[in-house]
Amino acid sequence: MQMTDDHSLVDKILAGDQQAFRWLIKRYETLIGHVVGRIIKGDEEREEVCQDVFLKIHDKLSTFRKEAKLSTWMVTIAYRMSLNYLEKNKMETVSLSAIGDLPMEQAQLSPLEQEDLKNTLEVAILKLPLSYRVVITLFHLEENTYEEVCAITGMALGTVKSNLFRGRKLLKEIVEKNKEISSYE
């Protein structure tokens, strides 16, 4: 079971096993990179924030309560540090680089139609307010549960559900508006 493996890994790291921490980084670098990359635009800035996130994880690992999922705890740190970095540096937010991971019925679409849909969604998601973009990313693309999204963002369950509902509605409106515009071109 992954949770047991994660808990054993935490125990090894807390016992001073540096190899275990390198393994933790390797195991979760993609997940942390996706979360940070959804919020921070520049490659160098993303890399810097990801490094800072893993340093913070290492420093705070002794505070990890094992009744939670390690990945959720780590994503929470990444999310909050990304928002703090964004606020501190007043940077622009970025598109969802892994928009191709969006679960959809792509088997019925040609490769050209899939690419067009991916681009349309990417542009539409960029137009969403940050709070909507974040919950849509965490819930749909990262496939977190409502409770995990609440834990990561610090939002109440009602706020998460409301932001998901409003974000989906706005996303649909943006996509439909883009379709209308492209049909006139």
Side-chain angles (χ1 to χ4, degrees), residues 3-185:
M3 191 172 285
T4 305
D5 291 343
D6 284 345
H7 291 170
S8 300
L9 189 59
V10 168
D11 291 339
K12 288 178 183 178
I13 295 167
L14 292 174
D17 185 341
Q18 290 301 311
Q19 183 62 32
F21 186 67
R22 282 190 283 279
W23 196 83
L24 176 109
I25 292 171
K26 184 75 172 158
R27 183 174 190 177
Y28 289 106
E29 66 187 343
T30 302
L31 175 63
I32 298 301
H34 281 147
V35 171
V36 172
R38 306 278 193 264
I39 300 170
I40 306 296
K41 183 174 182 176
D43 290 340
E44 290 178 20
E45 290 84 4
R46 274 194 309 263
E47 188 175 322
E48 179 183 335
V49 172
C50 285
Q51 289 173 358
D52 290 345
V53 165
F54 280 108
L55 288 173
K56 179 99 167 196
I57 288 168
H58 188 272
D59 291 344
K60 299 292 183 183
L61 201 55
S62 62
T63 67
F64 171 64
R65 294 185 321 264
K66 292 184 179 175
E67 61 266 7
K69 283 177 58 177
L70 180 62
S71 59
T72 302
W73 182 78
M74 292 172 58
V75 166
T76 301
I77 291 171
Y79 169 75
R80 290 185 179 151
M81 287 185 72
S82 297
L83 290 181
N84 289 342
Y85 186 88
L86 189 70
E87 180 63 29
K88 180 180 171 188
N89 295 290
K90 302 289 185 201
M91 297 177 62
E92 293 180 29
T93 55
V94 71
S95 70
L96 300 173
S97 59
I99 192 72
D101 296 338
L102 186 64
M104 59 183 83
E105 295 294 327
Q106 292 186 350
Q108 300 171 2
L109 301 175
S110 72
L112 185 59
E113 290 170 324
Q114 288 178 26
E115 187 63 28
D116 187 44
L117 178 60
K118 174 184 167 187
N119 292 336
T120 300
L121 284 172
E122 185 172 339
V123 169
I125 289 172
L126 272 173
K127 295 178 182 179
L128 293 175
L130 181 60
S131 60
Y132 296 171
R133 187 177 336 144
V134 167
V135 294
I136 286 174
T137 297
L138 292 172
F139 188 77
H140 289 292
L141 299 178
E142 298 296 335
E143 298 179 354
N144 288 291
T145 65
Y146 286 118
E147 292 76 18
E148 289 169 333
V149 175
C150 291
I152 291 166
T153 63
M155 294 178 192
L157 180 60
T159 304
V160 168
K161 288 182 177 182
S162 175
N163 284 350
L164 276 170
F165 175 78
R166 291 177 183 156
R168 287 183 201 124
K169 183 178 178 188
L170 186 56
L171 188 60
K172 182 179 177 184
E173 290 171 10
I174 292 168
V175 169
E176 287 175 356
K177 187 174 182 179
N178 284 346
K179 282 183 182 177
E180 289 173 14
I181 291 170
S182 5
S183 67
Y184 291 114
E185 293 175 352

